[in-house]
């Protein structure tokens, strides 16, 4: 029996659900059979095109529809065509089809909904809402009941994926329509409303919608939507974990079984909270009740879990999870490398990166973490190798990567290289992050004037500064002692740029004023702050008190710091030093005894020195190095040379020698030994400076000592401490003794 169009249409409709590619093949057979498609052919055919996300197939079907006279603008076919274009990522074509139809026929609710869905799918939330408003106006006189749950879900979906405070007002308006039309018990709409309110950080509204869903009807999607939404809010992760506990409770959550989406959101919340005990407790609970969800074959769940442990400080557990993943992808590798980098283990991050290169191609996210690890080491040779790889991989024009390279070279003491990276960036790729990084790089090396010039140039090109830009700029002014300029920049933040100062900006200002000796102004600024002063702000003032020997103000600052952070060690040591310089020995003893009583220890000074392709580390009075005897012999010889060149009194020289075994002096002695008579010096060019990175601030005695060494050895030394860079050359430091 010869097949009719009806038979072909039935086959197309059936395959459109099960195998859309077959549906297209059957349609071709229909045409080969010399049969003409009708208004029942195109809706399932276009549904198959949408399922395949094939723009070409959709355009071909559109052409055939036009050849058939648009089937007199059949509304079902046109609605299917609009929907297909939307699914294929072409909202523009969907809008054109809708506009052409509306010129001949009045669109019905199905056509409007297809248009709204197409705009929503492609991120055009504003246009989707405008279309929804037009739809309501067009059908208001006819039958408003045409607005059904599908239409409302379409417009709410567009809000769920959009960003901005403007969402809340139209979102509430659509929510009112949901209630008006009696759809408040529709679980799908409720889930979408929860997502939308979460995006707007309207916590109470999200909870209220969730509570309207009957307990027995809350599915895993409902719980996941609330948990995921809360996990992305400021201050929401704790609430998300609380909701998860309710979900797992038979009495409160009807014992809804979580899925992988639940776990990903929960692990992310744990990571944000940063509590290792809570991480372990939730992990143990899931392992006990839902072990199948923790299978290592699910790389996404495993990656979320290792990221959680890494961010909470348990790198051993994170590495154990990482090693257990059989098929590692780039996200998994990047998460572990980032964990090492942020956990202050840069060497491990670089070692893992070398392994990664043998298995997976890194992406920009990976490279940002790897570059940050190089920054932490302050080693220029590995930095240059990483830079070459970035260029070879074609990632050098990625704004995130380029900005990280600028920061890396700055922290490795290679300011000229940082400038070259910035200069060679495609101007189209430059963004506010790139400009802020370059402003910060100049400031880190004491080039405050250059930072101000860059700031002006950035604004002239139309870039708007943000809070990070001003932190970099104010810090640059502080390093260079540009008090008037720094105050002017601070005052212009909110007035001219609409950027509200945060505690970080106030800390920079306190540092700027304090270093310049304006301690009373700095203290008054803290007292007038509209935000609560944190430890960093008070710590900046305490550092200034040490610099200018103001023990009375230091005592006031001490009380504030101890209230905020009773376990603070560095600040208490700093205050003890202030008391020592003021010869208040009873207070020195009090501070030292207090530290011992509280079981607190001073952070050990640690210095890294780069020799050839290796980075060596030293602590104060370090004898762990295999060449310690040679190092201490060289240190003794250097001390004698310094003594010969010393122009001060013997008492002052004795004071200078109290710090003779500090970590940076051992690092200097080692570098000098290697350069004299070691094969490792062959890879070190004569004009290259000795590069040292220290985890603490360089003390005044070591600063004087290093200036003398640069003159005696006729060698430039670049020292990066916890605050800034010092370039020592010919007995002079780039900071001008202002640091």
């Amino acid at each position: 029996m010869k097949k009719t169009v009806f038979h072909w249409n039935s086959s197309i409709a059936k395959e459109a659900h099960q195998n859309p590619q077959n549906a297209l093949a059957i349609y071709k057979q229909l045409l080969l059979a010399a049969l003409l498609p009708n208004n029942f052919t195109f809706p399932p055919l276009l549904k198959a095109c949408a399922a395949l996300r094939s723009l070409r197939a959709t355009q071909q079907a559109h052409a055939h529809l036009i050849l058939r006279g648009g089937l007199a603008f059949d509304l079902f076919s046109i609605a299917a065509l609009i929907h297909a274009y939307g699914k294929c990522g072409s909202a523009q074509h969907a809008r054109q089809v809708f506009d052409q139809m509306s010129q001949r026929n009045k669109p019905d609710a199905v056509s409007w909904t297809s248009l709204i869905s197409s705009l929503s799918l492609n991120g055009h939330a504003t246009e989707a809402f405008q279309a929804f408003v037009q739809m309501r106006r067009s059908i208001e006189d006819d039958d408003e009941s045409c607005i059904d749950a599908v239409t409302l879900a379409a417009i709410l979906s567009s809000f769920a994926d959009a960003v901005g405070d403007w969402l809340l007002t139209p979102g509430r308006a659509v929510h009112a329509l949901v209630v008006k039309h009696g759809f408040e018990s529709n679980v799908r709409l409720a889930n979408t409303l929860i997502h939308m309110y979460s995006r707007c950080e309207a916590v109470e509204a999200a909870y209220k919608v969730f509570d309207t869903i009957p307990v027995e009807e809350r599915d895993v999607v409902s719980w996941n939507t609330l948990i995921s939404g809360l996990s992305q809010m400021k201050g929401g992760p704790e609430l998300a974990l609380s909701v998860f506990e309710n979900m797992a409770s038979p009495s409160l959550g009807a014992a809804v079984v979580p899925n992988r989406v639940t776990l990903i959101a929960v692990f992310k919340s744990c990571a944000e909270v940063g509590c290792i005990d809570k991480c372990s407790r939730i992990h143990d609970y899931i392992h006990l009740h839902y072990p199948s969800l923790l299978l290592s074959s699910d790389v996404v769940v495993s990656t979320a879990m290792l990221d959680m442990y890494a961010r909470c400080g348990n790198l051993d557990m994170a590495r154990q999870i990482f090693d257990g993943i059989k098929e590692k992808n780039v996200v998994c590798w990047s998460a572990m490398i980032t964990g090492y980098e942020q956990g202050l283990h840069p060497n491990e991050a670089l070692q893992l990166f070398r392994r990664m290169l043998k298995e997976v191609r890194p992406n920009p996210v990976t490279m940002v973490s790897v570059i940050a690890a190089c920054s932490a080491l302050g080693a220029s040779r590995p930095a240059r190798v990483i830079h070459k790889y970035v260029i070879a991989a074609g990632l050098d024009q990625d704004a995130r990567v380029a900005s990280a390279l600028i920061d890396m070279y700055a922290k490795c003491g290679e300011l000229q290289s940082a400038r070259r990276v910035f200069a060679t960036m495609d101007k189209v790729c430059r963004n506010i992050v790139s400009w802020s990084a370059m402003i910060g790089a100049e400031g880190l090396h004491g080039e405050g004037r250059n930072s101000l010039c860059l700031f002006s140039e950035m604004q002239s090109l139309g870039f708007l500064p943000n809070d990070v830009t001003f932190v970099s700029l104010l810090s640059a002014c502080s390093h260079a002692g540009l008090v008037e300029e720094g105050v002017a920049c601070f005052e212009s933040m909110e007035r001219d740029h609409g950027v509200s100062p945060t505690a970080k900006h106030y800390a920079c200002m306190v540092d700027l004023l304090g270093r310049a000796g304006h301690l009373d102004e700095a203290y008054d600024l803290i007292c007038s702050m509209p935000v609560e002063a944190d430890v960093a702000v008070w710590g900046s003032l305490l550092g200034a008190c040490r610099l200018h020997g103001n023990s009375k103000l230091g005592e006031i600052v001490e009380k504030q710091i101890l209230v905020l952070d009773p376990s603070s060690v560095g600040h208490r040591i700093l205050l003890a030093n202030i008391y020592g310089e003021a010869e208040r020995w009873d207070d020195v003893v009090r501070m030292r005894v207090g530290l011992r009583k509280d079981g607190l220890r001073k952070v050990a000074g640690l210095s890294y020195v780069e020799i050839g392709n290796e980075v060596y580390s030293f602590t104060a009075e370090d004898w762990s190095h295999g060449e310690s005897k040679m190092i201490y012999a060289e240190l003794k010889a250097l001390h004698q040379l310094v003594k010969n060149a010393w122009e001060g009194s013997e008492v002052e020289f004795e004071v200078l020698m109290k710090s003779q075994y500090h970590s940076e002096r051992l690092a200097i002695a080692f570098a000098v030994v290697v350069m004299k008579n070691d094969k490792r010096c062959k890879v070190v060019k004569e004009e290259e400076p000795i590069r040292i990175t220290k985890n603490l601030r360089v003390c005044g005695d070591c600063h004087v000592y290093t200036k003398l060494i640069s003159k005696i050895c006729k060698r430039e030394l670049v020292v990066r401490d916890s605050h800034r860079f010092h370039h020592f050359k010919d007995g002079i430091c780039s900071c001008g003794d202002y640091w």
Side-chain angles (χ1 to χ4, degrees):
M1 185 178 70
K2 187 176 180 180
K3 288 185 179 180
T4 64
V5 173
F6 172 79
H7 290 102
W8 290 106
N9 287 349
S10 298
S11 298
I12 292 170
K14 180 181 177 182
E15 292 297 330
H17 285 281
Q18 300 175 359
N19 193 331
Q21 195 67 52
N22 282 354
L24 298 186
I26 293 169
Y27 175 69
K28 290 180 182 178
Q29 292 174 23
L30 180 152
L31 297 177
L32 291 172
L35 294 173
L36 296 176
N38 58 25
N39 58 338
F40 294 103
T41 309
F42 286 101
L45 175 66
L46 288 164
K47 185 175 183 179
C49 294
L52 292 169
R53 304 290 199 274
S54 174
L55 180 60
R56 183 179 179 185
T58 303
Q59 289 173 326
Q60 289 176 338
H62 187 184
H64 288 188
L65 188 60
I66 293 172
L67 289 173
R68 294 288 296 141
L71 294 176
F73 286 89
D74 175 68
L75 291 178
F76 289 104
S77 297
I78 297 301
L81 180 59
I82 294 169
H83 178 72
Y85 272 129
K87 284 282 189 180
C88 295
S90 183
Q92 182 182 1
H93 282 95
R95 184 85 220 199
Q96 287 174 351
V97 171
F98 180 87
D99 290 342
Q100 289 170 2
M101 176 195 69
S102 61
Q103 292 171 7
R104 297 278 299 272
N105 293 329
K106 185 175 182 179
D108 62 355
V110 177
S111 304
W112 278 109
T113 302
S114 295
L115 176 63
I116 292 167
S117 295
S118 295
L119 294 169
S120 171
L121 283 168
N122 292 281
H124 302 291
T126 306
E127 293 89 336
F129 183 68
Q130 290 171 351
F132 178 71
V133 172
Q134 291 171 359
M135 171 188 177
R136 290 198 66 216
R137 287 174 182 164
S138 71
I139 64 175
E140 199 172 44
D141 298 331
D142 297 334
D143 183 12
E144 194 171 340
S145 64
C146 289
I147 297 178
D148 58 12
V150 177
T151 309
L152 292 168
I155 185 62
L156 286 171
S157 295
S158 71
F159 294 158
D161 294 325
V163 178
D165 296 336
W166 70 272
L167 290 172
L168 198 54
T169 300
R172 282 175 172 158
V174 177
H175 187 184
L177 286 175
V178 170
V179 176
K180 177 182 177 181
H181 289 281
F183 295 123
E184 63 267 36
S185 61
N186 184 298
V187 177
R188 181 190 173 194
L189 281 175
N191 294 342
T192 312
L193 280 166
I194 293 167
H195 190 163
M196 184 268 295
Y197 281 126
S198 298
R199 296 283 294 197
C200 298
E201 299 201 357
V203 180
E204 287 187 25
Y207 267 114
K208 283 181 181 178
V209 175
F210 182 79
D211 290 339
T212 62
I213 307 172
V215 173
E216 63 277 4
E217 292 184 25
R218 291 173 187 164
D219 57 12
V220 69
V221 178
S222 306
W223 288 97
N224 286 349
T225 304
L226 184 59
I227 293 170
S228 298
L230 291 170
S231 71
Q232 296 173 38
M233 292 185 195
K234 186 177 181 180
E238 283 278 12
L239 296 173
L241 295 177
S242 177
V243 171
F244 173 70
E245 290 176 2
N246 292 340
M247 176 185 182
S249 170
S251 59
L252 297 173
V256 176
V257 177
N259 59 17
R260 63 195 298 273
V261 177
T262 320
L263 263 59
I264 292 166
V266 167
F267 290 150
K268 180 182 178 182
S269 297
C270 284
E272 292 293 334
V273 170
C275 177
I276 190 62
D277 292 336
K278 186 162 284 189
C279 289
S280 300
R281 182 163 54 82
I282 287 179
H283 185 190
D284 291 342
Y285 175 84
I286 294 169
H287 188 270
L288 179 64
H289 293 87
Y290 313 106
S292 61
L293 292 176
L294 296 177
L295 292 174
S296 60
S297 57
D298 192 328
V299 67
V300 179
V301 172
S302 297
T303 300
M305 188 162 50
L306 83 84
D307 180 64
M308 171 188 73
Y309 276 111
R311 290 171 67 184
C312 291
N314 192 340
L315 289 170
D316 290 338
M317 187 63 186
R319 184 56 185 263
Q320 185 178 328
I321 295 167
F322 174 80
D323 290 338
I325 300 173
K326 295 177 181 177
E327 295 185 10
K328 301 176 179 67
N329 60 18
V330 65
V331 179
C332 173
W333 283 96
S334 299
M336 193 66 242
I337 289 171
T338 301
Y340 277 132
E341 181 268 313
Q342 294 182 350
L344 306 180
H345 289 77
N347 276 320
E348 287 82 350
L350 295 178
Q351 288 170 8
L352 195 62
F353 175 65
R354 294 186 192 103
R355 272 189 55 196
M356 177 186 182
L357 291 175
K358 298 175 183 177
E359 299 186 29
V360 179
R361 182 184 176 88
N363 62 16
V365 175
T366 320
M367 295 314 304
V368 168
S369 293
V370 171
I371 292 167
C374 277
S375 300
L377 283 176
S380 59
R381 287 182 180 276
R384 286 194 285 268
V385 171
I386 294 297
H387 189 188
K388 287 179 181 178
Y389 176 82
V390 165
I391 295 171
L395 299 173
D396 53 316
Q397 291 303 318
D398 184 287
R400 295 166 297 175
V401 175
S403 301
L405 285 171
I406 292 168
D407 183 67
M408 175 189 73
Y409 275 126
K411 289 178 178 176
C412 290
E414 297 268 9
L415 182 58
Q416 289 298 335
S417 296
R419 288 169 175 165
R420 280 194 293 271
V421 171
F422 184 74
T424 55
M425 276 186 75
D426 191 323
K427 291 183 179 178
V428 177
C429 296
R430 283 185 192 172
N431 58 16
I432 190 62
V433 179
S434 315
W435 283 97
S436 299
M438 196 62 236
I439 289 170
E442 296 284 356
L444 191 62
H445 290 265
E447 300 290 346
R449 295 286 180 193
N450 288 348
S451 292
L452 290 168
C453 290
L454 282 169
F455 182 67
S456 298
E457 184 184 352
M458 179 193 83
Q459 291 180 90
S460 69
L461 294 172
F463 290 94
L464 300 177
N466 60 18
D467 57 332
V468 177
T469 314
F470 279 106
V471 169
S472 299
L473 189 63
L474 292 173
S475 179
C477 290
S478 177
H479 289 320
L482 303 174
V483 179
E484 292 182 8
E485 293 84 347
V487 171
C489 289
F490 182 76
E491 291 176 347
S492 74
M493 282 180 62
E494 199 157 18
R495 182 190 66 214
D496 300 336
H497 305 286
V499 179
S500 299
T502 65
K504 287 184 179 180
H505 300 104
Y506 280 102
C508 290
M509 282 303 297
V510 170
D511 188 61
L512 172 71
L513 295 169
R515 284 179 185 283
H518 307 301
L519 296 179
D520 291 338
E521 288 182 45
Y523 181 68
D524 291 341
L525 179 64
I526 295 176
C527 294
S528 64
M529 282 173 57
V531 295
E532 185 179 356
D534 58 15
V535 174
V537 174
W538 288 109
S540 295
L541 183 56
L542 187 62
C545 290
R546 165 70 192 279
L547 185 64
H548 296 284
N550 192 327
S551 59
K552 289 184 179 180
L553 183 57
E555 200 166 2
I556 296 172
V557 175
E558 172 204 5
K559 294 175 182 177
Q560 297 293 335
I561 290 176
L562 291 180
V563 169
L564 293 170
D565 185 10
S567 62
S568 173
V569 177
H571 296 113
R572 290 161 80 169
I573 294 291
L574 184 58
L575 186 61
N577 292 335
I578 295 174
Y579 288 145
E581 290 172 3
E583 297 185 354
R584 293 172 56 177
W585 304 116
D586 290 343
D587 289 315
V588 173
V589 172
R590 175 176 61 83
M591 296 299 296
R592 303 281 182 184
V593 170
L595 284 170
R596 282 199 295 271
K597 184 179 178 182
D598 295 337
L600 301 174
R601 288 187 174 184
K602 178 182 176 181
V603 177
L606 183 65
S607 292
Y608 299 94
V609 61
E610 182 184 1
I611 303 293
N613 296 319
E614 298 291 333
V615 177
Y616 301 87
S617 62
F618 294 89
T619 58
E621 301 182 19
D622 194 347
W623 281 91
S624 63
H625 198 283
E627 298 168 276
S628 290
K629 288 184 178 180
M630 189 186 302
I631 293 169
Y632 277 88
E634 184 62 39
L635 190 61
K636 186 177 180 181
L638 288 174
H639 290 344
Q640 186 59 48
L641 291 173
V642 169
K643 186 175 183 179
N644 295 340
W646 183 251
E647 295 179 355
S649 67
E650 284 194 23
V651 174
E652 289 173 329
F653 182 76
E654 290 301 321
V655 172
L656 186 72
M657 287 298 107
K658 283 184 179 180
S659 309
Q660 62 181 313
Y661 299 128
H662 276 193
S663 59
E664 58 265 53
R665 299 201 192 186
L666 292 172
I668 291 170
F670 175 67
V672 173
V673 166
V674 170
M675 287 187 298
K676 279 182 179 179
N677 52 12
D678 197 293
K679 62 182 179 181
R680 285 169 291 194
C681 70
K682 292 180 181 178
V683 295
V684 183
K685 295 179 181 178
E686 284 294 327
E687 65 274 12
E688 281 192 15
I690 296 171
R691 301 180 186 279
I692 295 169
T693 302
K694 187 173 182 181
N695 65 331
L696 303 176
R697 195 175 171 205
V698 172
C699 71
D701 294 336
C702 287
H703 191 267
V704 173
Y705 179 87
T706 310
K707 284 199 295 183
L708 290 168
I709 290 294
S710 71
K711 185 176 182 179
I712 292 165
C713 296
K714 295 182 172 52
R715 187 89 182 204
E716 183 180 358
L717 293 99
V718 178
V719 179
R720 168 190 166 189
D721 67 7
S722 61
H723 200 70
R724 61 166 296 159
F725 267 92
H726 301 265
H727 295 256
F728 298 93
K729 191 173 183 180
D730 298 327
I732 299 171
C733 181
S734 60
C735 73
D737 298 336
Y738 185 92
W739 90 100

